[in-house]
Amino acid sequence: QELKQKLYEAIKKVSQVQELFDIPSKENEITLIEKDAGEPSFWEDSKVAQIRMRKLTKLKQTVQVWKDLEKDGTGLLELVEL
């Protein structure tokens, strides 16, 4: 029961940190860049396109770290509840 409570608290903290780092905003920005990248005009200025694609990669990495932590915590909590 104590482990279950600690896991629940850890998951809650991960959610709070996601809000602090504004992960939902980063997810929205990912969606916008991916949408823009699908437009032919996005690639007209290759230097700007490269900068935006690097930013997209960094955003995806940041979001993935926090999503993985949340997923792992939830998975562990489910195992403890068995």
Side-chain angles (χ1 to χ4, degrees):
Q1 200 65 352
E2 182 181 338
L3 179 59
K4 184 177 173 181
Q5 182 61 33
K6 287 185 181 200
L7 283 169
Y8 178 75
E9 289 171 11
I11 293 168
K12 186 176 177 181
K13 285 181 183 180
V14 168
S15 292
Q16 291 170 342
V17 172
Q18 284 180 348
E19 289 178 29
L20 180 68
F21 286 114
D22 203 9
I23 298 301
S25 172
K26 287 175 176 38
E27 290 175 313
N28 288 338
E29 192 170 358
I30 288 168
T31 300
L32 290 174
I33 294 172
E34 288 177 336
K35 182 182 174 205
D36 289 347
E39 299 294 324
S41 61
F42 178 86
W43 301 101
E44 288 175 0
D45 185 336
S46 64
K47 289 186 188 241
V48 171
Q50 287 177 357
I51 290 167
R52 293 196 67 206
M53 293 306 288
R54 280 194 291 271
K55 183 173 185 177
L56 175 63
T57 299
K58 288 179 183 179
L59 287 168
K60 283 183 169 185
Q61 289 171 341
T62 300
V63 168
Q64 193 60 52
V65 165
W66 292 105
K67 293 296 178 184
D68 287 347
L69 281 172
E70 184 177 49
K71 181 181 169 189
D72 291 348
T74 301
L76 287 171
L77 186 59
E78 289 173 359
L79 283 174
V80 169
E81 290 177 342
L82 291 177

